[in-house]
Each structure stands twice: as structure tokens, then as C-alpha cells.
């Protein structure tokens, strides 16, 4: 039996091997038959691909608007003549994430590369060591989204491990603190966290002391994500039998 024959046999068994599988397959095909043609018509057949936003008079997707605003979507208010910096940030983050997804790169070198890449991204966005420093108010778009996501997720994970262990601890005070923190954070909308980071936290600081708004956002989002990741880790720990 060839590899192609084995693949077809596996697909046939998975899709139609039992009555339940057959019902699920038929139901899925019916749903796709109802959703894919309208989606194709909206995204391709009735879409507008050229011109500016005013050219979008058809009922389909306005790809012309996306094309016209693509630079703003990517870089927001970053100075146009310096947008090679955020473009390089995108490449750096993509490279470090790709390396992190490949087991052959796992090791001390990768652990060292992460903080160096984050530092390089910050220096690039800030325009450090150049004649034109860029304030964080002008940062935005895809590079900032990737940068904040990578930093917050990396920083939140070790905090989440400690919270998960604390919640499973036999020490009542430590466990209570962990439960209160996790449930409070998980019960607060993300917009509330960002509101606190941007408006409430600066007012709570002593006079003369201030934090960059990007650092405030990273700090609060890290604490927010830590609560969610902690529950994932705790669930994994609880799934492991005692003694393992």
C-alpha cells in the first residue's frame, strides 16, 4: 500500500468510519456550502481592489481602502522617513518567535537572544543613539502590537507559574492571595486594565514621578495575562497524577 493510499484510507475512516463521523462530515459540508460562496463573493467577486476609499461603491470588501491605509495600519504615526526602524522591529520579533518555535534552537543561546532582541526593538523604536529620538506617543501599528505581546507574554509566564504554585499551596495565606489576585484580574475587562494603566496609575504616583505610557501598558497587561496563564498552568498541574 502506497503512502497516498494509506492517507486516503485514513481520511475515509476519519470522515466516514462511523455513523457519528459521517453525520459530522455531512453537517460540516452543509455549513461550508452555505458560508463559503457568500464569503467568496464578498471577498473576491464583488470586492474593490483598486482606487481609493471613495471607489468602494460595491457591496463587497473594500480592499482599496486597506491598500490606501496599509502604511498607517503598519506604522501608525511613526515618522515616514524613519519607518525602516519599526519594519526592522517586525523582522526581529518574527525571527525570535520562529526560532522559539523550532526545538533545534532551544537552549541557553535562545534565552540570551530574547532579552537582547527586546532591548534592540526598544532602542530601534525609540531612535536611541540617533539624532532623531522618537517619543512613545508616535509608536503604533503592527510593530508595537507584536512588541507588547512578546514582552508581556514572556514576562507574565514566570509570574503565572508562581501564582499557579501558590494557588495549590498548603499555606492558607499564600493560597488566598493567589485566588484573590487571579479572580480579580480575570474578572476585570482588559479595557479597565488599560484605563488604569493610562489614567489611574499616573495619578496614584507621587509628584515628580512618572512612567512612560508604554511601560505602564506593558506592566498592567503583564499582570493581567499572568492571571489567565496561571489558571492554564494550574489546570495542567492538576491533570498530572500525584507522584508524577
Amino acid at each position: 500500500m502506497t503512502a497516498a493510499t494509506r492517507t486516503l484510507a485514513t481520511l475515509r475512516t476519519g470522515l466516514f468510519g462511523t455513523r457519528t463521523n459521517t453525520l459530522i462530515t455531512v453537517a460540516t459540508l452543509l455549513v461550508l456550502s452555505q458560508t463559503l460562496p457568500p464569503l467568496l463573493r464578498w471577498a473576491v467577486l464583488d470586492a474593490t481592489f483598486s482606487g481609493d476609499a471613495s471607489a468602494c461603491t460595491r457591496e463587497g470588501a473594500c480592499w482599496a481602502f486597506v491598500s490606501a491605509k496599509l502604511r498607517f495600519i503598519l506604522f501608525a504615526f511613526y515618522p515616514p522617513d524613519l519607518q525602516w526602524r519599526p519594519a526592522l522591529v517586525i523582522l526581529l520579533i518574527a525571527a525570535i518567535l520562529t526560532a522559539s518555535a523550532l526545538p533545534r534552537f532551544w537552549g541557553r543561546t535562545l534565552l540570551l537572544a530574547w532579552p537582547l532582541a527586546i532591548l534592540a526593538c526598544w532602542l530601534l523604536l525609540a531612535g536611541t543613539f540617533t539624532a532623531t529620538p522618537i517619543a512613545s506617543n508616535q509608536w503604533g501599528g503592527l510593530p508595537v502590537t507584536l512588541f507588547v505581546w512578546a514582552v508581556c507574554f514572556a514576562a507574565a509566564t514566570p509570574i503565572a507559574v508562581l501564582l499557579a504554585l501558590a494557588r495549590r499551596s498548603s499555606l492558607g495565606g499564600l493560597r488566598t492571595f493567589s485566588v484573590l489576585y487571579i479572580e480579580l484580574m480575570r474578572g476585570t475587562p482588559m479595557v479597565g486594565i488599560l484605563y488604569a494603566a493610562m489614567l489611574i496609575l499616573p495619578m496614584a504616583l507621587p509628584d515628580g514621578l512618572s512612567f512612560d505610557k508604554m511601560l505602564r501598558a506593558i506592566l498592567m497587561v503583564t499582570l493581567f495575562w499572568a492571571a489567565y496563564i496561571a489558571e492554564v498552568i494550574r489546570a495542567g498541574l492538576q491533570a498530572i497524577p500525584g507522584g508524577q
Side-chain angles (χ1 to χ4, degrees):
M1 183 181 293
T2 63
T5 304
R6 287 196 300 270
T7 301
L8 289 175
T10 301
L11 286 174
R12 185 170 57 252
T13 301
L15 295 175
F16 304 101
T18 65
R19 181 178 299 177
T20 302
N21 286 1
T22 302
L23 290 174
I24 293 174
T25 301
V26 172
T28 302
L29 291 175
L30 288 174
V31 171
L32 291 177
S33 69
Q34 296 298 313
T35 57
L36 287 183
L39 179 61
L40 177 64
R41 189 163 52 250
W42 174 83
V44 180
L45 300 180
D46 294 337
T48 302
F49 292 93
S50 59
D52 54 16
S54 61
C56 298
T57 58
R58 306 172 69 182
E59 295 183 357
C62 185
W63 301 119
F65 177 83
V66 175
S67 176
K69 299 297 182 181
L70 183 59
R71 184 178 290 272
F72 181 80
I73 293 172
L74 290 176
F75 306 120
F77 299 104
Y78 210 88
D81 58 327
L82 300 174
Q83 287 177 354
W84 62 269
R85 294 177 184 170
L88 187 55
V89 168
I90 295 175
L91 294 178
L92 278 174
I93 296 178
I96 196 69
L97 290 176
T98 301
S100 300
L102 300 175
R104 62 178 177 176
F105 292 111
W106 294 353
R108 295 181 179 179
T109 303
L110 183 60
L111 289 176
L112 179 62
W114 260 101
L116 292 178
I118 295 301
L119 178 61
C121 290
W122 182 276
L123 295 178
L124 280 169
L125 289 173
T128 309
F129 307 124
T130 65
T132 53
I134 308 299
S136 60
N137 290 334
Q138 296 179 269
W139 303 5
L142 180 61
V144 171
T145 300
L146 293 175
F147 178 77
V148 172
W149 175 85
V151 172
C152 291
F153 194 84
T157 300
I159 299 174
V161 172
L162 295 177
L163 287 171
L165 294 176
R167 186 158 187 173
R168 290 175 51 84
S169 173
S170 58
L171 300 176
L174 188 61
R175 184 173 63 253
T176 301
F177 169 78
S178 177
V179 170
L180 291 175
Y181 176 85
I182 291 173
E183 297 305 325
L184 177 63
M185 282 295 183
R186 293 178 67 214
T188 305
M190 171 67 85
V191 66
I193 296 296
L194 294 178
Y195 179 85
M198 296 297 103
L199 299 177
I200 298 178
L201 185 59
M203 292 188 295
L205 295 175
D207 293 338
L209 181 62
S210 63
F211 284 107
D212 183 89
K213 73 171 187 177
M214 184 65 63
L215 293 177
R216 298 199 303 268
I218 289 174
L219 173 63
M220 295 302 292
V221 173
T222 296
L223 297 177
F224 181 79
W225 282 1
Y228 280 87
I229 301 173
E231 286 298 274
V232 176
I233 295 173
R234 182 174 71 92
L237 293 175
Q238 290 184 182
I240 302 175
Q244 295 296 315

